[in-house]
Amino acid sequence: MLKGHTFKSFPIRPGSLDCREACLADSRCQSYNVVFKGICELNNRTREARPENFVRNRERYYMKKSSKRDTLGWSRDRPAYSCKHILNSGNHKGDGEYWIDPEKSGIPFKAYCDMTTGGGGWLVVCNVVFDGSSDISATSSYREIQNYDNHSKMCLGKEAMKQFQTILSFTQLRFYCRKQNTGRTFHVVTAANSSGQAVVRYFSDLTDAMPNACGSFVRMDDDDSLLAENCHKWGEENGTYRVGKWGHSNVMQRLYNHAAFIKGRHHWLIQSSRWECDDFRGNVSIGDFWKIFVR
């Protein structure tokens, strides 16, 4: 057995795999002792790390955590750099939480990965779900993406996006929103071309040059927005509207304030009094969402 490193002990069914499954489900667990009388002891160390604490015991047997949880991104002991890194490893477990450490800092954190949409490998950097309140503010550090489900209102600010781009060098953005009262969905991905790259650079605060809209994105299958149909009417630049560009020259938080819009018609906009997805000053319902992913 491994002594002196048990952080949790509980009864299990004798002969079952309950202890193994509990260790797999707990990010702190690195190994476990099974007591023959039907008790599981989860350890936060292994015999390799603490050989001096690995001792004979006739009432227990020791097991190291299954290699299944050593798969890239599945535990804090082996974090990935990004969702795409996990996808490329070929061992993802579908949409959900994964451990990442983009800076290779040794301080990993959990983030949400979409591994199924449009080829997968998407990391959420903005997740706003309307819950009846209107509090939303831009986060100042990219590490705040670990709070993607914290009150359902997380969105990286301008500086955080720039910081994250410098670290991760993502090449695509995906904008996704849906409102129940209109029944419409805006869902587009930046194109894998120079026009799409210009959009990524703009929203990463690497340039103030407002990118052209048409030709810069691809509509997803569920997109039925009037906004995406009329890209030549998007935007504002130096006081002139409907210039066919992403963004608005007079806003700070580009991701969620007039990221894409047709003046007075169809907007991507989140403010305390305005929650707009392919509409203009329309009603908002509990569960309406705005999400942005990078890859």
Side-chain angles (χ1 to χ4, degrees), residues 163-179:
Q163 176 191 34
F164 203 24
Q165 172 60 244
T166 302
I167 294 167
L168 198 60
S169 298
F170 50 84
T171 59
Q172 284 185 293
L173 291 167
R174 177 159 64 93
F175 292 81
Y176 185 25
C177 69
R178 179 178 296 159
K179 289 185 78 172

Side-chain angles (χ1 to χ4, degrees), residues 13-14 28 47 51 57 63 66 78-79 88 98 101-102 204 207 212 226 228 240 247 252 271 295:
R13 296 169 297 161
R28 298 168 296 174
R47 61 178 290 185
N57 187 287
M63 292 291 292
S66 168
R78 196 182 175 209
N88 291 341
Y98 292 86
D101 184 7
S204 300
T207 179
N212 292 326
L226 295 174
T240 301
M252 285 293 295
Q271 290 180 340
R295 179 172 68 181

Side-chain angles (χ1 to χ4, degrees), residues 46-95:
T46 63
R47 61 178 290 185
E48 289 81 8
R50 295 290 186 270
E52 70 276 13
N53 297 136
F54 189 62
V55 300
R56 291 182 178 275
N57 187 287
R58 294 181 180 275
E59 298 178 352
R60 293 168 172 80
Y61 69 87
Y62 166 91
M63 292 291 292
K64 186 179 178 181
K65 191 171 190 175
S66 168
S67 59
K68 180 181 179 181
R69 274 296 182 187
D70 291 332
T71 304
L72 187 67
W74 286 34
S75 75
R76 67 178 303 131
D77 299 317
R78 196 182 175 209
Y81 307 137
S82 67
C83 297
K84 189 176 181 181
H85 185 203
I86 298 168
L87 181 76
N88 291 341
S89 75
N91 289 307
H92 70 85
K93 53 182 177 178
D95 299 347

Side-chain angles (χ1 to χ4, degrees), residues 6 17 21 82 95 103 137 146 153 180 196 270:
T6 297
L17 296 176
E21 294 303 315
S82 67
D95 299 347
E103 292 185 86
S137 60
Q146 65 187 300
K153 290 187 178 69
Q180 300 169 58
I270 314 167

Side-chain angles (χ1 to χ4, degrees), residues 69-269:
R69 274 296 182 187
D70 291 332
T71 304
L72 187 67
W74 286 34
S75 75
R76 67 178 303 131
D77 299 317
R78 196 182 175 209
Y81 307 137
S82 67
C83 297
K84 189 176 181 181
H85 185 203
I86 298 168
L87 181 76
N88 291 341
S89 75
N91 289 307
H92 70 85
K93 53 182 177 178
D95 299 347
E97 285 188 339
Y98 292 86
W99 288 92
I100 65 171
D101 184 7
E103 292 185 86
K104 305 177 187 178
S105 65
I107 309 175
F109 59 89
K110 283 185 178 180
Y112 185 86
C113 297
D114 179 339
M115 295 299 199
T116 56
T117 303
W122 296 103
L123 174 60
V124 68
V125 295
C126 184
N127 185 47
V128 177
V129 182
F130 185 72
D131 60 1
S133 65
S134 58
D135 57 318
I136 178 173
S137 60
T139 58
S140 58
S141 169
Y142 84 87
R143 293 183 68 90
E144 292 299 316
I145 60 177
Q146 65 187 300
N147 297 320
Y148 73 90
D149 202 29
N150 185 18
H151 306 299
S152 300
K153 290 187 178 69
M154 179 282 297
C155 205
L156 292 193
K158 188 177 177 182
E159 290 302 319
M161 279 292 287
K162 185 175 184 179
Q163 176 191 34
F164 203 24
Q165 172 60 244
T166 302
I167 294 167
L168 198 60
S169 298
F170 50 84
T171 59
Q172 284 185 293
L173 291 167
R174 177 159 64 93
F175 292 81
Y176 185 25
C177 69
R178 179 178 296 159
K179 289 185 78 172
Q180 300 169 58
N181 68 309
T182 63
R184 288 203 301 270
T185 298
F186 177 67
H187 195 182
V188 302
V189 176
T190 55
N193 57 27
S194 58
S195 296
Q197 282 299 303
V199 178
V200 173
R201 288 179 57 80
Y202 176 72
F203 285 105
S204 300
D205 195 35
L206 298 179
T207 179
D208 290 326
M210 302 175 71
N212 292 326
C214 295
S216 69
F217 64 87
V218 177
R219 300 176 71 176
M220 302 299 287
D221 290 342
D222 59 344
D223 177 89
D224 57 5
S225 68
L226 295 174
L227 184 58
E229 285 183 6
N230 295 279
C231 55
H232 60 288
K233 297 180 180 179
W234 286 19
E236 177 278 344
E237 187 175 27
N238 300 322
T240 301
Y241 290 88
R242 304 194 177 200
V243 292
K245 295 189 175 184
W246 289 82
H248 192 301
S249 62
N250 295 320
V251 303
M252 285 293 295
Q253 301 305 338
R254 297 173 177 175
L255 274 186
Y256 60 84
N257 189 345
H258 289 86
F261 76 103
I262 300 173
K263 184 183 180 183
R265 296 289 183 179
H266 313 287
H267 291 205
W268 170 288
L269 173 63

